[in-house]
Amino acid sequence: MRASSIERPPELIVFDNSYARDLPDACVAWQPCAAPAPRSLFFNRALAEELGLDVQGLDSPEGVSIFAGNAVPAGAQPVAQAYAGHQFGGFSPQLGDGRAVLLGEIIDRRGQRRDLALKGSGRTPFARGGDGKAAVGPMLREALLGESMHALGVPTSRALAVVATGESVRRERRLPGAVLTRIAASHLRVGTLQFFAARGQIDTLRRVADYAIARHDPALIGDPDRYVGLLGAVAERQAALVAQWMNLGFIHGVMNTDNMTLSGETIDYGPCAFIEAYDPQTVFSSIDAAGRYAFGNQPAIARWNLARLAEALLPLIVDDADGADAEIRAIDRVMPVIEAFPAWYEAHWRAGQRAKLGLSAAEGATEITRLVDDWLALLHAHAVDFTLGWRRLVDAAAGDDAPLRSLFANAPALAPWLARWRALSERDLAASGLSPPERVRRMRAANPAIIARNHQVEQALAAASDAADLAPFERLLTALRHPDDEKGDSAAFAEPAPRAFTAGYRTFCGT
Ligand code: AMP
Ligand code: MG
């Protein structure tokens, strides 16, 4: 026999499963359930490449079988993860992966550990009343939004694959089923720590927190103040993340603590949507009647969620030796982080706004603050499309005001603001030494033309789900991957939805 024929073929995915290995008390070993007739809908070659996977080998029936949950690849150690969460303000002590399994972790080409998980792969012990399944539409939605956010430079979980299962799932009506393969820096959530804190399982809580530190904040390993440090690091990442959302007009839609990561990645694209006509009170989610997760509330909700994280970490920060007032002193140590969060967020958001306005120098901070506030007030008063308003400001920086003026029903209202912006811009250019074309280039990067427009997303998903036609999905995906390109085939994707569509638009949790 020739040597080559007895060599085992290289694995399509090489796993290293630290979660299952180090935190057996935080998850349940669980197998995905098989799909009757799996068929590939989406395979993310660029991401597979980045992960160092066998791209060719996975873009095959064998890959589809893995992504459907029908074949568990060698080296995987599937588990369902436990977590709790505050949902719309009320605490659910046990949520967990009801329809997901973490197959394992991979070390990507940059040496980063990434989770590879299936979503929609059947009921787990955490399923409660759910069927454990997912539908084609919401899973492709997650793929689209993740790719879009990634292209926009926003930290996010991403879809490696979506496969149709060949069975239907019962929702308001029967829908084709699908499984999503999700890649994330980790699936650790605020709710993961809440789960163990709520049960008083302090040893496991400590192990999970130390695991989170090792994975996301290794500089804190061994630091006696590491749990306060972890809180601060998560708060800083969330401040940066939510500022990016706010500067892009992104509404997450369901910022429950189980949907807020410790890694600072966006996760769970259920009822999310982008605002069109600018209004901070915008809500699209059908289940958010009170507007808790409205666009403008997101920074305050992030802070609220971080306070819940602080509570969960408190037992680790309280030192028994500290005596009777130990808890009060522990609270004194976490409160500065929670109180600092709004300023951290504001700093990220303001920096983003300055970049969007094409103002690089930090001088004239008060004037810039007023300029930003007045600009947003103008967009709001004139119901201007948020994305286009900013994008056309780039055209104005390049010398052409007309496209911007055309967005305002009452163009003269814009003139005094434009004059102030130009005056500040000139001073800023002189101070920074930036060339005008370079400034325009930077402004373009900060003001994308292509976001995932709600009507385009719905159209693409309806075609894929109702007619098994993936062409609109693929066209939209291509446009979203090049957010700066508003010419040619992409032009249609830069256009806002008809007003009537947006007025009646409702999103649903991806269940
Ligand atoms: P989500 O709204 O997707 O963030 O999910 C909230 C919780 O409900 C998590 O514990 C999910 O695992 C669970 N869940 C959502 N949909 C289903 C389903 N179809 N079957 C089982 N569990 C589900
Ligand atoms: Mg969730």
Side-chain angles (χ1 to χ4, degrees), residues 83 189 258-259 268:
Y83 55 85
R189 308 147 191 269
D258 54 302
N259 292 336
D268 276 4

Short mmCIF file of all heavy atoms in Angstrom, two decimals, residues 83 189 258-259 268, ligand 2:
data_model
loop_
_atom_site.label_atom_id
_atom_site.label_comp_id
_atom_site.label_asym_id
_atom_site.label_seq_id
_atom_site.Cartn_x
_atom_site.Cartn_y
_atom_site.Cartn_z
N TYR A 83 -27.04 30.15 29.93
CA TYR A 83 -27.02 31.57 30.27
C TYR A 83 -28.40 32.01 30.73
O TYR A 83 -29.39 31.33 30.50
CB TYR A 83 -26.51 32.44 29.11
CG TYR A 83 -27.21 32.31 27.78
CD1 TYR A 83 -28.36 33.05 27.50
CD2 TYR A 83 -26.71 31.48 26.78
CE1 TYR A 83 -29.00 32.95 26.27
CE2 TYR A 83 -27.34 31.37 25.55
CZ TYR A 83 -28.48 32.11 25.29
OH TYR A 83 -29.11 32.02 24.08
N ARG A 189 -21.86 35.98 27.20
CA ARG A 189 -22.80 37.10 27.25
C ARG A 189 -22.82 37.65 28.67
O ARG A 189 -22.40 36.95 29.61
CB ARG A 189 -24.21 36.60 26.91
CG ARG A 189 -24.28 35.82 25.61
CD ARG A 189 -25.34 34.73 25.67
NE ARG A 189 -25.23 33.82 24.53
CZ ARG A 189 -25.88 33.96 23.38
NH1 ARG A 189 -26.72 34.95 23.24
NH2 ARG A 189 -25.70 33.14 22.38
N ASP A 258 -28.84 38.89 27.62
CA ASP A 258 -28.36 37.66 26.99
C ASP A 258 -27.92 37.90 25.55
O ASP A 258 -27.31 37.02 24.94
CB ASP A 258 -29.44 36.56 27.03
CG ASP A 258 -30.76 37.03 26.44
OD1 ASP A 258 -31.31 38.03 26.94
OD2 ASP A 258 -31.24 36.41 25.48
N ASN A 259 -28.22 39.08 25.02
CA ASN A 259 -27.79 39.40 23.67
C ASN A 259 -26.66 40.42 23.67
O ASN A 259 -26.35 41.01 22.64
CB ASN A 259 -28.97 39.93 22.85
CG ASN A 259 -30.01 38.85 22.59
OD1 ASN A 259 -29.69 37.66 22.61
ND2 ASN A 259 -31.24 39.25 22.36
N ASP A 268 -26.80 38.35 17.58
CA ASP A 268 -28.25 38.13 17.53
C ASP A 268 -29.01 39.20 16.77
O ASP A 268 -29.65 40.08 17.33
CB ASP A 268 -28.82 37.95 18.95
CG ASP A 268 -28.65 36.51 19.43
OD1 ASP A 268 -28.03 35.72 18.69
OD2 ASP A 268 -29.13 36.18 20.52
MG MG B 2 -30.26 35.72 21.89
#
